[in-house]
Amino acid sequence: MLCPKCHSSEDKVIDSRLMNNGETIRRRRQCLNCNYRFTTHETIIPVNITTVIKRDGRREEFSVDKLREGIRMACWKRNISSEVLDRIVGDITIRLTLLSQSEISSQEIGEMVMEALKQVDEVAYVRFASVYRHFKDADAFVHEVKSLSHPEDAPPPSP
Ligand SMILES: [Zn+2]
């Protein structure tokens, strides 16, 4: 990104946020040359994937929100910033887009999430992997975590 003030292309991202239902990323940036702060809005290329095929064969509309929610649950009480979370969701969304297909199995998405979490946080990875494999899919996982606990004080189910 070019700094609006000095036109340097060197900047760092201070904060990232998913907006518009996950369709755009708003980033606060700071120019490394003159320290000027500015904001960019990046549009995520629409995902071709529209349908997720569950293990039991049911089909469901793909939802970035659900993807994000599943990952967020796995990162419960881990020191993972929302920026890192956004990055994982963004990376997976891009990978899904590059597949150029309209359907994907919930299992394949789960594998992508596990792969991404593995690089970020071992505990979140193990948690997601064990619970995800135990339950039929990420939805069932999210549902289970929600039904078991009050959001603030209870831990998610352990492996
Ligand atoms: Zn600048």
Side-chain angles (χ1 to χ4, degrees), residues 3-8 10 31-36 38:
C3 169
K5 210 173 167 191
C6 75
H7 302 289
S8 161
E10 302 296 310
C31 175
L32 295 179
N33 182 46
C34 72
N35 288 331
Y36 183 71
F38 56 104

Side-chain angles (χ1 to χ4, degrees), residues 52-68:
V52 177
I53 305 167
K54 321 260 251 173
R55 283 188 204 186
D56 59 10
R58 276 186 302 126
R59 280 151 194 272
E60 190 181 271
E61 201 180 327
F62 173 76
S63 155
V64 174
D65 288 342
K66 276 190 183 166
L67 175 65
R68 189 187 160 86

Side-chain angles (χ1 to χ4, degrees), residues 43-107:
T43 305
I44 296 171
I45 304 163
V47 185
N48 297 319
I49 303 282
T50 51
T51 308
V52 177
I53 305 167
K54 321 260 251 173
R55 283 188 204 186
D56 59 10
R58 276 186 302 126
R59 280 151 194 272
E60 190 181 271
E61 201 180 327
F62 173 76
S63 155
V64 174
D65 288 342
K66 276 190 183 166
L67 175 65
R68 189 187 160 86
E69 183 71 355
I71 298 170
R72 200 176 63 77
M73 289 288 179
C75 298
W76 192 297
K77 299 216 168 155
R78 302 297 301 163
N79 191 20
I80 295 173
S81 66
S82 66
E83 183 178 355
V84 170
L85 214 67
D86 286 348
R87 209 186 64 214
I88 295 174
V89 174
D91 285 352
I92 292 174
T93 307
I94 289 166
R95 285 183 63 181
L96 292 174
T97 304
L98 293 175
L99 287 176
S100 300
Q101 61 192 52
S102 63
E103 295 184 337
I104 193 167
S105 67
S106 58
Q107 215 167 337

